[in-house]
Amino acid sequence: MKQITIFIIFATVFFSADTYKILGLFPHVAKSHFLMAEALMKGLAGRGHQVTMVSHFPQKNSISNYTDISLVGSMPEFFGQVFLENVAVKYLYKTLIRQSNTGIVTCKNTLESPEMKKLVASNETFDLVITELFNTDCLLGYVYTLKTPFIALSSSTMMPWAYARFGTPNNPSYIGNQFLYHASDMTFQERIINALYFVVFRWVYYYVYEKPAYEIVKNYFGESLPQLSDIAKNTSLLLVNSHFSSHHPRPLMPAIVEVGGLHLRSSGIRLTKDLQDFLDSAEDGVIYFSLGSFVRVESMPADKRDAFVQAFSELPQKVLWKWEKETLPGKPKNVKIVSWLPQMDVLAHPNVRVFISHGGLMGTMEAVYHGVPMVAIPLFGDQFHNVKCSVQQGIAVYLDYHTITKESVLSALKEILQNPTFTENAKQVKKAFRDRPVSPLDTAIYWTEYVIRHGGAPHLRSAAVDLQWYQYLLLDVLAVLFLCVAAILATTYLILKKLISLWRTCSGRKQTKNKIS
């Protein structure tokens, strides 16, 4: 009877819940970015909401309540997967230029896409719009015309330009810049660099990212369109792909909700028989090697490829290597190459002892979720920051891509394989990462619905959003206080100077009088 009552209560709550029309705008061409958005939109569709998804990754099979607006073919092919040497950059400005250029091309091509033009012309209304906060705010021009509440999703940790639009603190003394090799514990020199970039990024974002996008968007939505940064300040909520257990605690406004691991799912039986047998038979454990979906690992230069091949040949562990070609020159007997792998299921296998990764956030969270330590080879973007956080937590060893040799690969792998502390730390972080009152997906769905229920939830908006930077930093207050103190000190000085002058005059007269008498 008790179970029936609980079921009735649950059914009443579930079926009486309002359903909404929700539009997702995710024009970035990288699959890793799409995974998080896909998980959220599928989750919302599963709750009965009518979901429309604009992306480069339409569903292969139809899903109830889920409608695709495909951008496939709107971007140049070379944006889908790139060669390793083209993304392994040493200098930050190259990363920023590449990211900005990608944003500009994405902006132009998306707005010119026939499917997107059709959507804009339809004047269809929605209860909520979800956008990606990444390399361009271009589609906020369209969002503004809808006059609809909107929230943002960040598939990475918070971008440097995200803090201001929510009024959340971004103290460079302990909050590492996403694009720098900094975490929370910084040296004095790192804090200087971090503080300088804190200022520089404000200008870089405006001139390199926002201004070019704004010039494009005005052609579609009119000259009267507000600045994109002004529109962005009205973002009701940010769902950010981070968690304090993996990227260190930082102060967040109520309008920012951490949902790190939103894309993660429980491991299923997805391994093929040959993969299952390969993993099961690894008595000394398995080293899993993958640099993600964006980079073609087979484009690795021969000297670096051979460094890995030679290092693996000297290890007793088996190696499972994501390699796009059918053959690998000099492949040792303990190495198995596969062009695509179900990463979550591979990392879930108890015999996997090390994950050689590029430090991408999705893969890093999957490793954290399963408690697998990493040898991390950051290549671009936020990967350096992700790796530094993992290194500081004692769950990863850093390997510099530009100086890879057989010896450096062996040294990094043996450091983890022969030191149980890395595995112990990984298990502790795994425990903290998983220990939540509500799953990341349910958290994201709740707050998404919350914004709709409360008409954009303006009560979540911080007053700090409307302050000028000098007001936010209290520089105007400090200036006035400084002038007041300076005025008081100056007045005191002048009074004392006058009193001393009078005293000296009186003393001089008295001495003169005494001499005469």
Side-chain angles (χ1 to χ4, degrees):
M1 184 67 183
K2 184 178 179 180
Q3 291 177 336
I4 294 175
T5 303
I6 292 173
F7 174 79
I8 292 172
I9 293 172
F10 173 80
T12 302
V13 171
F14 183 84
F15 290 110
S16 64
D18 293 327
T19 59
Y20 305 108
K21 288 182 63 179
I22 301 172
L23 173 65
L25 299 173
F26 295 92
H28 189 57
V29 76
K31 183 66 179 288
S32 58
H33 284 245
F34 176 74
L35 292 176
M36 187 178 177
E38 180 186 37
L40 175 59
M41 300 303 273
K42 280 185 175 180
L44 290 167
R47 287 289 294 268
H49 302 301
Q50 299 300 313
V51 167
T52 301
M53 183 65 148
V54 178
S55 77
H56 292 271
F57 306 97
Q59 299 298 313
K60 294 180 180 178
N61 301 309
S62 62
I63 298 175
S64 180
N65 303 324
Y66 189 108
T67 302
D68 275 306
I69 294 180
S70 175
L71 298 176
V72 173
S74 64
M75 289 289 283
E77 289 186 8
F78 61 82
F79 276 90
Q81 256 194 347
V82 297
F83 292 107
L84 192 52
E85 288 292 285
N86 292 339
V87 295
V89 298
K90 287 185 177 181
Y91 304 107
L92 176 57
Y93 77 89
K94 290 185 177 180
T95 295
L96 295 176
I97 291 173
R98 179 180 291 123
Q99 191 181 75
S100 170
N101 290 340
T102 302
I104 292 170
V105 174
T106 299
C107 178
K108 289 180 179 178
N109 291 23
T110 300
L111 291 174
E112 278 297 318
S113 166
E115 293 299 318
M116 190 65 196
K117 284 185 173 181
K118 183 178 178 181
L119 174 64
V120 174
S122 71
N123 293 320
E124 185 175 358
T125 59
F126 299 90
D127 297 300
L128 183 75
V129 180
I130 306 177
T131 65
E132 181 175 16
L133 200 166
F134 184 50
N135 59 358
T136 179
D137 287 323
C138 170
L139 293 185
L140 290 186
Y142 171 50
V143 173
Y144 178 78
T145 66
L146 292 173
K147 305 299 181 185
T148 301
F150 64 99
I151 68 175
L153 186 70
S154 176
S155 60
S156 65
T157 55
M158 284 184 67
M159 305 298 284
W161 41 86
Y163 292 84
R165 65 183 63 177
F166 295 98
T168 203
N170 183 18
N171 190 326
S173 66
Y174 67 95
I175 298 177
N177 189 302
Q178 187 201 69
F179 292 98
L180 299 175
Y181 190 58
H182 298 158
S184 59
D185 299 332
M186 289 177 270
T187 64
F188 177 69
Q189 181 180 352
E190 287 174 336
R191 282 188 288 121
I192 291 176
I193 295 171
N194 206 46
L196 290 174
Y197 274 99
F198 169 78
V199 177
V200 168
F201 264 98
R202 286 177 176 268
W203 299 102
V204 168
Y205 181 72
Y206 176 73
Y207 287 106
V208 180
Y209 290 77
E210 182 186 346
K211 195 172 180 181
Y214 182 62
E215 294 303 317
I216 296 170
V217 173
K218 284 193 300 182
N219 295 328
Y220 294 88
F221 303 106
E223 293 289 330
S224 61
L225 187 75
Q227 292 288 331
L228 294 177
S229 57
D230 291 333
I231 301 173
K233 288 180 180 179
N234 292 314
T235 311
S236 296
L237 181 78
L238 174 64
L239 299 171
V240 59
N241 194 21
S242 63
H243 190 257
F244 51 81
S245 64
S246 60
H247 277 83
H248 307 293
R250 62 188 65 195
L252 299 175
M253 288 294 179
I256 301 173
V257 179
E258 288 191 308
V259 290
L262 173 61
H263 73 294
L264 300 176
R265 57 170 178 76
S266 299
S267 299
I269 305 174
R270 298 186 60 192
L271 296 175
T272 59
K273 187 178 184 305
D274 63 323
L275 267 179
Q276 189 72 53
D277 292 342
F278 181 82
L279 294 170
D280 289 344
S281 62
E283 297 180 0
D284 295 300
V286 175
I287 297 167
Y288 171 47
F289 185 8
S290 173
L291 298 182
S293 59
F294 187 61
V295 175
R296 294 192 63 84
V297 185
E298 52 86 12
S299 65
M300 184 182 296
D303 60 328
K304 291 182 172 60
R305 177 200 67 207
D306 292 342
F308 283 105
V309 168
Q310 294 166 16
F312 293 154
S313 67
E314 296 186 11
L315 293 170
Q317 286 78 24
K318 288 188 174 183
V319 178
L320 184 58
W321 190 341
K322 179 181 173 296
W323 182 265
E324 291 81 12
K325 287 188 174 180
E326 294 183 0
T327 59
L328 172 65
K331 184 178 81 67
K333 293 181 179 180
N334 63 331
V335 173
K336 180 180 181 63
I337 57 172
V338 184
S339 61
W340 179 87
L341 289 159
Q343 186 158 285
M344 279 288 287
D345 301 280
V346 170
L347 290 171
H349 197 283
N351 285 344
V352 175
R353 297 184 59 188
V354 184
F355 177 25
I356 302 178
S357 166
H358 61 317
L361 188 54
M362 297 302 187
T364 297
M365 285 191 169
E366 289 164 7
V368 167
Y369 185 82
H370 291 295
V372 179
M374 296 167 280
V375 168
I377 314 168
L379 301 172
F380 61 93
D382 64 340
Q383 294 165 14
F384 297 92
H385 173 69
N386 298 335
V387 170
K388 187 59 178 286
C389 289
S390 297
V391 169
Q392 282 193 358
Q393 290 177 307
I395 63 173
V397 171
Y398 168 69
L399 183 61
D400 185 0
Y401 173 80
H402 300 283
T403 59
I404 283 177
T405 61
K406 168 190 166 184
E407 290 72 24
S408 66
V409 173
L410 277 173
S411 175
L413 286 170
K414 287 180 178 179
E415 187 174 353
I416 288 182
L417 292 168
Q418 297 174 4
N419 187 349
T421 302
F422 285 96
T423 300
E424 292 168 5
N425 291 339
K427 289 179 179 178
Q428 287 297 321
V429 176
K430 166 189 171 180
K431 185 178 179 181
F433 184 79
R434 290 190 177 196
D435 192 357
R436 311 187 200 187
V438 184
S439 73
L441 178 58
D442 287 338
T443 300
I445 290 174
Y446 169 81
W447 283 104
T448 299
E449 294 173 338
Y450 181 94
V451 168
I452 302 175
R453 288 197 302 269
H454 295 278
H459 51 278
L460 294 178
R461 194 174 189 271
S462 169
V465 174
D466 299 315
L467 296 177
Q468 297 295 326
W469 64 271
Y470 58 85
Q471 294 174 318
Y472 179 79
L473 296 173
L474 285 177
L475 295 183
D476 52 345
V477 174
L478 291 174
V480 170
L481 291 177
F482 174 79
L483 290 174
C484 288
V485 171
I488 291 170
L489 291 176
T491 302
T492 302
Y493 170 76
L494 291 174
I495 291 172
L496 289 175
K497 185 178 179 181
K498 186 66 175 177
L499 290 174
I500 292 171
S501 178
L502 289 172
W503 179 78
R504 286 177 176 173
T505 302
C506 293
S507 296
R509 289 177 180 175
K510 187 176 181 181
Q511 290 175 2
T512 302
K513 185 177 180 181
N514 289 337
K515 286 181 180 179
I516 294 173
S517 59

